Amino acid sequence: MGVERLPGDWMAYFAYPAEETPNRAGTWPVLARTDGDRIDRLILPPDLADRSRRVTVIREHGEDKSINLERIVMVGSHLVVMETSPDKGGNS
């Protein structure tokens, strides 16, 4: 999927289940649509979406972001597009 076809600003990151550590859980490649410092949509592998309702996005610049996975927007054979919200209980 080419992100140039999707509206908004998209960045490539890695993410892992927020309840675990990256060393224990491993990391998955994700694409995040950003609105300023907020991540409002995430394209992620189904395995990660099935593993946790909260994920931590590892950002190269700035603090890592823990977010809640909310409503599914689209499901593909190897990806899920989900709306997200800030995780108030974890790292924000």
Side-chain angles (χ1 to χ4, degrees):
M1 170 180 282
V3 293
E4 67 275 356
R5 293 184 175 182
L6 301 173
D9 295 324
W10 291 83
M11 295 291 297
Y13 296 110
F14 285 94
Y16 60 93
E19 299 82 14
E20 302 182 47
T21 65
N23 292 340
R24 182 170 168 236
T27 60
W28 286 265
V30 298
L31 293 172
R33 185 172 78 178
T34 57
D35 181 15
D37 198 39
R38 182 180 171 316
I39 295 172
D40 66 351
R41 289 229 174 146
L42 200 65
I43 300 174
L44 64 159
D47 289 346
L48 179 55
D50 289 342
R51 194 154 174 181
S52 179
R53 297 304 298 164
R54 292 176 44 234
V55 298
T56 300
V57 176
I58 303 168
R59 301 188 318 160
E60 188 174 322
H61 301 291
E63 291 183 30
D64 294 351
K65 284 273 196 210
S66 289
I67 56 176
N68 295 310
L69 300 177
E70 301 290 349
R71 186 177 74 85
I72 295 174
V73 176
M74 185 185 91
V75 176
S77 58
H78 300 300
L79 61 91
V80 178
V81 181
M82 298 190 76
E83 290 180 348
T84 67
S85 66
D87 178 19
K88 303 283 191 226
N91 301 331
S92 48

